[in-house]
Amino acid sequence: MKIFVTGTGIISALGTGTGATLQSLLSGESGIDVIRHLSTGHKEFPAGEVALPNEDIARMLGVGYPENGLRTVLLGITAAREAVSSASLADTDLADAAFVSGTTVGGMDKTEKYFKSAFDAESKTEDSLELKYNDCGYSSGMIADNTGPFGMVTTTSTACSSAANAIIFGANLIKSGVTDIVVAGGAEALTKFHLNGFNTLMILDKDTCRPFDRNRAGINLGEGAAYIVLESEESVKRRNVRPVAELSGYANTCDAFHQTATSENGEGAYLAMRKAMDMARLSPCDIDYVNAHGTGTPNNDASELAAMERIWGTQIPAFSSTKAFTGHTTSASGSIETVICLLALQHGFLPPNLGWRTPINEGGIPITGTDNQRDIKNIINNSFGFGGNDSSLIFSKCQLQ
């Protein structure tokens, strides 16, 4: 059964909407800069922040309390509404559709604001009631409520593969006959919990990150949201819409190697890519581009490169990490990078691996300049989460019967 993408929506450090995102990618402009909106003492770490404060996003969306104090929700509504609009979905279409959203931070920004006063209080207070918004499912529900009358709403939370797994879950809902239409993706705001947690792991880079570079030093965190509309072939024909691409293959694996690290031979990444190709009935030579997870950490990039070498040997297809554009948007990265892949597929370009200078080994040379002369048919998008929860998605040019 074929699954098609009929709409996209995105907001990140590259801008608001698919148009702004495309322009930034083609111009090679990174969205990573000094931290301006997050209230933190760690200004030494650059990040890929969305340029707008909560007040401006809330005003743009026309929402009030409690959405206006939840950045993950605000980012999610922005991207979800664009996806629904670009797919020309009406409320009648959404009534039977599913909304699947990936997040891990959820409403942590509100929790950070109210937790101490609630904890110090001797009894339940108004501040303590604000803590209910911490739940990941609350964020998904509020995004859905402000986007359309969905028939089903659910959440995936598998760290940095959350949004990719939301897309996989959405595709499985369609294949199992639960629904014909799914809006799937993820949203994640930058929080102090986020920044401090990764700083504790000692994997944040004080300079702009350099994925797949021999001298890479770690992650630049980011934030944002992206959603895509998935539809069955029957629904596409019934609604008479033109698909953006086909979700031709996908896989989720778990190597269970370590809580945060990946294995030296990239077993989980290898299996995810290999099984996704098997589902799509593609051979390694059919893949034109790999949007790598490529976080910029010593462990991830060496492991992911090893996995690619196991599949392609010395003939690795064009690959790059776009995290030097957006920062690592953690749970939202799978869908943000999906939209980037779909833009590449539609417009025939491959985004460069910004900041790269020196190869890890002889074969590990990513794309270093924007390539606008490509006939791209099949793209792999990798998203790897803590605990070895690894997912690969394959998007292909459409072939409607």
Side-chain angles (χ1 to χ4, degrees):
M1 180 180 187
K2 291 188 175 183
I3 306 293
F4 293 98
V5 180
T6 58
T8 60
I10 186 171
I11 181 171
S12 73
L14 293 181
T16 302
T18 54
T21 302
L22 177 61
Q23 184 177 353
S24 294
L25 290 168
L26 292 176
S27 64
E29 296 177 7
S30 173
I32 295 172
D33 204 344
V34 296
I35 293 175
R36 304 183 192 281
H37 298 296
L38 179 65
S39 177
T40 176
H42 290 295
K43 299 293 185 179
E44 71 271 26
F45 298 117
E49 285 187 298
V50 170
L52 301 169
N54 287 2
E55 296 78 14
D56 288 357
I57 304 174
R59 192 178 306 113
M60 178 178 70
L61 296 173
V63 299
Y65 175 86
E67 289 90 345
N68 59 5
L70 292 157
R71 194 165 177 85
T72 293
V73 172
L74 292 171
L75 299 176
I77 296 170
T78 304
R81 284 184 179 178
E82 184 190 11
V84 166
S85 175
S86 69
S88 300
L89 290 170
D91 283 356
T92 51
D93 299 313
L94 295 177
D96 294 321
F99 181 77
V100 187
S101 186
T103 189
T104 302
V105 167
M108 181 60 70
D109 50 345
K110 187 178 278 284
T111 299
E112 290 172 346
K113 184 176 180 180
Y114 292 102
F115 180 79
K116 188 177 188 308
S117 61
F119 184 79
D120 291 342
E122 294 182 0
S123 60
K124 185 177 291 186
T125 64
E126 288 187 11
D127 285 357
S128 65
L129 296 177
E130 297 291 329
L131 302 184
K132 66 183 179 182
Y133 299 112
N134 185 81
D135 184 80
C136 293
Y138 238 115
S139 293
S140 300
M142 294 172 79
I143 296 167
D145 288 345
N146 283 274
T147 303
F150 290 97
M152 171 186 175
V153 179
T154 192
T155 305
T156 56
S157 188
T158 55
C160 302
S161 57
S162 297
N165 285 336
I167 292 169
I168 289 174
F169 185 64
N172 286 337
L173 286 175
I174 293 173
K175 287 186 176 182
S176 62
V178 173
T179 182
D180 281 332
I181 301 173
V182 178
V183 179
E188 196 96 298
L190 192 59
T191 66
K192 289 187 284 188
F193 170 81
H194 226 150
L195 189 70
N196 294 345
F198 279 92
N199 189 28
T200 300
L201 292 173
M202 296 184 289
I203 55 173
L204 292 180
D205 195 340
K206 293 182 180 180
D207 297 314
T208 305
C209 66
R210 302 172 296 285
F212 295 106
D213 189 276
R214 184 181 300 170
N215 300 309
R216 65 199 182 280
I219 290 170
N220 298 145
L221 285 173
E223 64 179 359
Y227 294 92
I228 63 174
V229 177
L230 300 173
E231 291 193 54
S232 67
E233 187 170 4
E234 180 183 349
S235 178
V236 167
K237 291 178 177 178
R238 182 177 64 249
R239 295 202 312 116
N240 193 29
V241 292
R242 184 177 180 179
V244 174
E246 179 185 350
L247 175 59
S248 57
Y250 51 84
N252 170 255
T253 63
C254 187
D255 60 14
F257 174 75
H258 186 270
Q259 292 99 320
T260 57
T262 54
S263 59
E264 288 187 9
N265 68 350
E267 181 70 6
Y270 166 80
L271 290 172
M273 288 186 282
R274 186 72 260 185
K275 289 183 177 183
M277 282 187 279
D278 289 345
M279 176 185 284
R281 297 183 180 179
L282 296 173
S283 64
C285 64
D286 294 320
I287 303 301
D288 301 301
Y289 169 64
V290 178
N291 185 283
H293 188 56
T295 60
T297 62
N299 174 251
N300 176 90
D301 295 3
S303 176
E304 188 170 8
L305 188 58
M308 288 192 285
E309 289 173 341
R310 288 175 64 185
I311 295 173
W312 287 282
T314 59
Q315 302 299 314
I316 299 175
F319 75 95
S320 65
S321 167
T322 50
K323 288 182 173 64
F325 276 100
T326 62
H328 188 358
T329 56
T330 53
S331 290
S333 62
S335 55
I336 285 175
E337 289 160 27
T338 283
V339 173
I340 290 173
C341 288
L342 293 170
L343 288 171
L345 200 63
Q346 286 177 282
H347 298 277
F349 75 96
L350 299 179
N353 197 109
L354 300 180
W356 184 91
R357 289 183 179 83
T358 311
I360 297 173
N361 58 35
E362 291 183 3
I365 302 177
I367 304 163
T368 56
T370 304
D371 189 337
N372 299 317
Q373 306 296 324
R374 290 293 186 122
D375 179 21
I376 309 164
K377 295 184 175 65
N378 302 295
I379 287 176
I380 288 182
N381 180 25
N382 287 335
S383 297
F384 306 144
F386 283 166
N389 193 302
D390 301 332
S391 294
S392 293
L393 310 172
I394 298 180
F395 295 96
S396 303
K397 281 194 172 177
C398 293
Q399 295 181 3
L400 275 170
Q401 297 295 325

